Amino acid sequence: MDDHAFVGISLDSKLFSREWIQMAVRCILDRNATVEFVLCDRLLSFNKTLSQESGGKVTMDLSECEARIAKRSGDIHGLMVSEVSVLSESDRCRVSVSKWGDHADSRFADIHRVLSIAYASLDQFRECVDRDVEAHLLHQTKTLVSSAIHRSLCALYIIEESAMSIRITEFGRPFEYYPGTPICTLSDIYDGRFAPYGLTVEAIVGHPPKRLFQPLTLQSNCAGLVD
């Protein structure tokens, strides 16, 4: 199995502090050949695009959304470049920083499509996604629209995030690190919970699962991480 890792960096999460990034780079390079930090810039579209007027009219401001995404993405990219620059030359070559669009290829589109179909048609999968919405996004993201619209957007966020994780880990970088526990949607897919309904990792990607998820917090003992 390829010994390559990735970290998806949520641009609206406070978990990805400079201190955490410094620790994560050190820990991951101790355990893996390379690591790619993927800026989840496009996911910001779900909570930066819409606004709702007092009369209930919902509007989209795509140019403002793009400007906000570019600003936040640029800030985080600068932070990453700064931290990587202090590494030795040999270690700098082992770290890369990319954006969401760099991985949004046909494989990603196929996975995203399958998960979208599952959300629309499988009650069990939809309930799982909705639990993640409640636990991870609904009360942690600001919104300028109604709660019903916000909930729908959060579900789309979870589906796209899950699709990208599967895309990256199953096709090149099986080791995924994150400063917290995985969302239930991904855990339940990999645990085979939806196998009775035809939804499995192998059915989605065409080969047995490769993904290995590792929570990595500031309190983690890098030497004691599970192999």
Side-chain angles (χ1 to χ4, degrees):
M1 181 181 292
D2 291 336
D3 188 24
H4 301 292
F6 107 94
V7 178
I9 298 186
S10 174
L11 303 192
D12 55 359
S13 172
K14 296 180 180 179
L15 293 174
F16 296 93
S17 63
R18 182 182 294 272
E19 184 182 9
W20 185 86
I21 291 171
Q22 291 171 343
M23 179 274 299
V25 169
R26 174 175 55 83
C27 287
I28 297 172
L29 290 183
D30 282 347
R31 296 169 53 80
N32 298 97
T34 68
V35 58
E36 182 170 0
F37 289 88
V38 180
L39 305 184
C40 303
D41 51 338
R42 303 318 307 174
L43 291 182
L44 285 181
S45 300
F46 290 109
N47 54 38
K48 304 298 184 186
T49 300
L50 301 181
S51 61
Q52 189 167 11
E53 299 176 2
S54 57
K57 178 182 177 182
V58 176
T59 60
M60 303 175 69
D61 192 335
L62 297 178
S63 60
E64 174 64 17
C65 175
E66 289 301 315
R68 296 174 73 177
I69 289 175
K71 173 63 168 63
R72 185 59 178 157
S73 180
D75 290 344
I76 300 299
H77 186 270
L79 170 61
M80 293 303 309
V81 169
S82 173
E83 292 305 320
V84 172
S85 68
V86 302
L87 300 174
S88 66
E89 183 176 354
S90 60
D91 280 346
R92 286 199 301 271
C93 296
R94 298 166 59 199
V95 181
S96 59
V97 182
S98 62
K99 294 185 177 182
W100 199 258
D102 296 325
H103 305 277
D105 56 8
S106 60
R107 282 175 170 166
F108 165 74
D110 288 342
I111 297 167
H112 186 270
R113 185 181 306 110
V114 170
L115 297 187
S116 298
I117 293 170
Y119 184 78
S121 56
L122 301 180
D123 291 342
Q124 296 77 8
F125 183 72
R126 183 166 54 254
E127 290 167 1
C128 181
V129 172
D130 290 346
R131 283 198 300 273
D132 277 330
V133 167
E134 192 73 35
H136 296 284
L137 289 178
L138 197 61
H139 307 295
Q140 300 175 29
T141 54
K142 296 179 180 180
T143 181
L144 297 175
V145 294
S146 69
S147 59
I149 293 175
H150 186 211
R151 188 178 293 276
S152 296
L153 293 174
C154 286
L156 295 177
Y157 184 115
I158 293 292
I159 292 169
E160 186 162 336
E161 179 184 29
S162 299
M164 185 59 81
S165 176
I166 294 172
R167 159 64 185 91
I168 294 175
T169 55
E170 296 301 329
F171 296 100
R173 293 188 173 275
F175 294 88
E176 179 177 359
Y177 295 86
Y178 191 81
T181 56
I183 57 176
C184 292
T185 298
L186 277 168
S187 296
D188 284 359
I189 292 174
Y190 276 90
D191 288 344
R193 182 180 171 216
F194 310 111
Y197 314 101
L199 183 65
T200 67
V201 174
E202 186 163 2
I204 294 170
V205 301
H207 59 245
K210 298 180 180 180
R211 178 178 182 261
L212 296 169
F213 179 86
Q214 178 67 66
L216 183 60
T217 68
L218 285 172
Q219 293 74 38
S220 297
N221 177 2
C222 296
L225 294 179
V226 178
D227 289 317

